[in-house]
Amino acid sequence: QSSRERLQRALVEKLPIVLVIGHKNPDTDTVISSMAEAYRNHLINADNITYLPVVQGDAIPDEVRRLLGGQLSAAILLSSEQIYKGAFSSGQARWILVDQNRAPEVQKFTVSIVDHHVVSEIALRQNISKTLEMAGSTTALIFQKICGLGVDTSKELSKILYGATLMDTENRLALKMTNKDSLIMDVLKAQAEIKN
């Protein structure tokens, strides 16, 4: 089932919906971290909650489309789509914020936050699950969480995750990374079998 079909089914059957959404200026880290966090939560709660990644805007950024390819890019919901607007106003949806920790339009419906930016006062006050850590990318933080589940990522998924971490750290620029980023990226690079 496509993301849109899963969302439509959840709306019709009144099932819980969690939309995983990044910031309003979507870059590779935002898009890939929304996909990875939706996937991670789906592994944990697949039976009773519909988790879907959403990109804020009208289109998938070109660099993300090149990394994901056409089929995966087409599967991602856009906030400009009518079906997203229907979920937004349904009262059924909740949100996970990734690569951001402040989203006024959905903050009170947020159930979790994973972010690597400076933390807002609003996020600090929320009594929800939060992973807020200064790191090179949110994708790296989510990959660490996936590893914590004992789940191995495929070569293809590792390549996508590595691509997102590379872009957000500007090709592993020392000033953009922590030691943890370096370790995580080395694992992803090895799993993706990337030589250079």
Side-chain angles (χ1 to χ4, degrees), residues 108-182:
K108 66 183 175 181
F109 303 108
T110 298
V111 296
S112 179
I113 299 171
V114 183
D115 189 24
H116 73 122
H117 295 104
V118 174
V119 184
S120 69
E121 288 297 320
I122 289 174
L124 285 175
R125 288 192 305 268
Q126 283 185 282
N127 187 20
I128 59 175
S129 172
K130 295 178 264 202
T131 300
L132 303 167
E133 184 175 338
M134 296 304 285
S137 70
T138 300
T139 301
L141 298 176
I142 294 169
F143 176 68
Q144 180 183 6
K145 289 171 160 278
I146 291 170
C147 290
L149 294 174
V151 174
D152 290 327
T153 55
S154 67
K155 178 181 175 180
E156 295 78 16
L157 179 55
S158 294
K159 181 180 178 185
I160 290 168
L161 297 173
Y162 186 63
T165 61
L166 273 178
M167 288 187 189
D168 225 39
T169 60
E170 297 178 25
N171 289 326
R172 300 184 78 148
L173 188 65
L175 295 173
K176 295 276 190 172
M177 295 176 57
T178 65
N179 287 336
K180 181 188 280 189
D181 290 298
S182 184

Side-chain angles (χ1 to χ4, degrees), residues 23 26-34 64 98-99 115-117 136-140 142 164-165 167-168:
H23 56 71
D27 58 12
T28 307
D29 188 38
T30 293
V31 177
I32 303 306
S33 62
S34 68
V64 176
V98 295
D99 205 27
D115 189 24
H116 73 122
H117 295 104
S137 70
T138 300
T139 301
I142 294 169
T165 61
M167 288 187 189
D168 225 39

Side-chain angles (χ1 to χ4, degrees), residues 46-135:
D47 294 337
N48 55 359
I49 301 174
T50 302
Y51 291 93
L52 298 167
V54 177
V55 170
Q56 289 203 66
D58 298 325
I60 303 296
D62 290 340
E63 71 273 9
V64 176
R65 191 171 293 282
R66 280 191 297 275
L67 180 62
L68 293 177
Q71 186 176 4
L72 275 178
S73 296
I76 301 172
L77 291 171
L78 302 171
S79 64
S80 59
E81 293 182 57
Q82 279 305 119
I83 193 160
Y84 174 81
K85 293 174 183 177
F88 183 90
S89 61
S90 71
Q92 289 172 249
R94 297 296 176 259
W95 279 260
I96 293 175
L97 304 182
V98 295
D99 205 27
Q100 66 171 334
N101 58 75
R102 187 171 185 280
E105 60 280 352
V106 298
Q107 197 85 35
K108 66 183 175 181
F109 303 108
T110 298
V111 296
S112 179
I113 299 171
V114 183
D115 189 24
H116 73 122
H117 295 104
V118 174
V119 184
S120 69
E121 288 297 320
I122 289 174
L124 285 175
R125 288 192 305 268
Q126 283 185 282
N127 187 20
I128 59 175
S129 172
K130 295 178 264 202
T131 300
L132 303 167
E133 184 175 338
M134 296 304 285

